[in-house]
Amino acid sequence: MYVRSIYATGDPAELDGVAEELRTEGRELLSAQPGFRGMGVFVDREIGKLLVGSWWEDEASRQASYENLSERRAEMMAPFAQTMTVDNWEAAVARRADTLGPGAVFRLVRIDVEPSGIDLLVDTFRDTSLPGVQKIPGLAGLSLLIDRGRGRAAIGALYTDRDALTASRGAVAAVRGEITAKARVSTSSVEEFEVVLATAVPHA
């Protein structure tokens, strides 16, 4: 599985309109593209941040969709996005539970890792961290995305509600420390978002 993420910042007053357009028309446009496997739209309304992720069965489908929809995507993002970054990832781990209800939230952890250490990170996450993290109450989905060429990774976690996310912070901080020690990586940021849309993706 392959993922494209779009991270944008802008005026919080313009965020909801753009997020809703992505949830409706954006999802429809992506769903019509070959190889599409899922989509997420996440917002931080207080600061003015928007994160969009799309999942693809292969790199060719991901690239073709980006080119096919570039003009319309720019039009949809324009009212909000003052800055925008597009990244491409490989999904090393993806776990998703049942459909999320209203009030779901998302935590994103960005990790820096030497390219030669990517496989150690994946093995550590899958074999050591994942079994314990999956027992955290309210966890509804988890993914580890990697960028081998640039030495980066991202861990995304979906929670059923804000209370579950808040209660998980201590346990998840311990897991981050464990990963840091065993896989020799460093955490560059931790962010939390409200979920506007999160469609299911198959296990990777």
Side-chain angles (χ1 to χ4, degrees):
M1 294 286 289
Y2 296 85
V3 178
R4 178 172 59 251
S5 65
I6 300 174
Y7 183 87
T9 66
D11 183 353
E14 302 291 344
L15 178 54
D16 279 340
V18 172
E20 178 61 18
E21 194 164 19
L22 290 167
R23 187 187 70 84
T24 53
E25 182 187 348
R27 179 182 182 184
E28 183 178 345
L29 290 170
L30 286 174
S31 297
Q33 299 297 305
F36 176 72
R37 290 295 177 265
M39 179 183 184
V41 179
F42 313 101
V43 298
D44 180 333
R45 291 184 171 91
E46 181 177 359
I47 296 176
K49 295 188 290 187
L50 171 67
L51 176 66
V52 183
S54 56
W55 294 69
W56 304 91
E57 66 181 17
D58 53 51
E59 290 182 275
S61 297
R62 181 179 64 190
Q63 181 60 28
S65 70
Y66 184 76
E67 296 170 356
N68 292 342
L69 301 177
S70 60
E71 183 175 348
R72 183 61 188 128
R73 179 177 54 251
E75 292 172 348
M76 284 191 286
M77 297 290 286
F80 167 73
Q82 299 298 316
T83 71
M84 188 166 66
T85 301
V86 180
D87 289 306
N88 291 311
W89 309 89
E90 176 188 345
V93 177
R95 301 288 186 269
R96 178 65 192 275
D98 296 332
T99 302
L100 293 169
V105 287
F106 178 74
R107 179 185 293 121
L108 175 69
V109 179
R110 299 182 191 272
I111 294 172
D112 294 323
V113 53
E114 291 294 330
S116 60
I118 289 281
D119 288 335
L120 175 60
L121 170 62
V122 173
D123 291 343
T124 300
F125 184 83
R126 179 181 285 129
D127 299 336
T128 304
S129 305
L130 188 61
V133 171
Q134 287 183 305
K135 297 177 183 178
I136 294 176
L139 183 73
L142 191 66
S143 62
L144 170 63
L145 310 181
I146 58 175
D147 180 342
R148 294 180 182 274
R150 300 176 67 181
R152 302 181 306 164
I155 299 173
L158 290 160
Y159 290 86
T160 54
D161 53 57
R162 177 67 62 178
D163 288 343
L165 179 140
T166 300
S168 74
R169 287 172 181 156
V172 171
V175 170
R176 284 199 300 272
E178 181 181 50
I179 292 174
T180 297
K182 292 186 176 182
R184 300 187 294 277
V185 302
S186 60
T187 298
S188 58
S189 69
V190 179
E191 299 178 88
E192 296 177 351
F193 299 84
E194 297 174 48
V195 175
V196 175
L197 171 70
T199 60
V201 296
H203 287 192

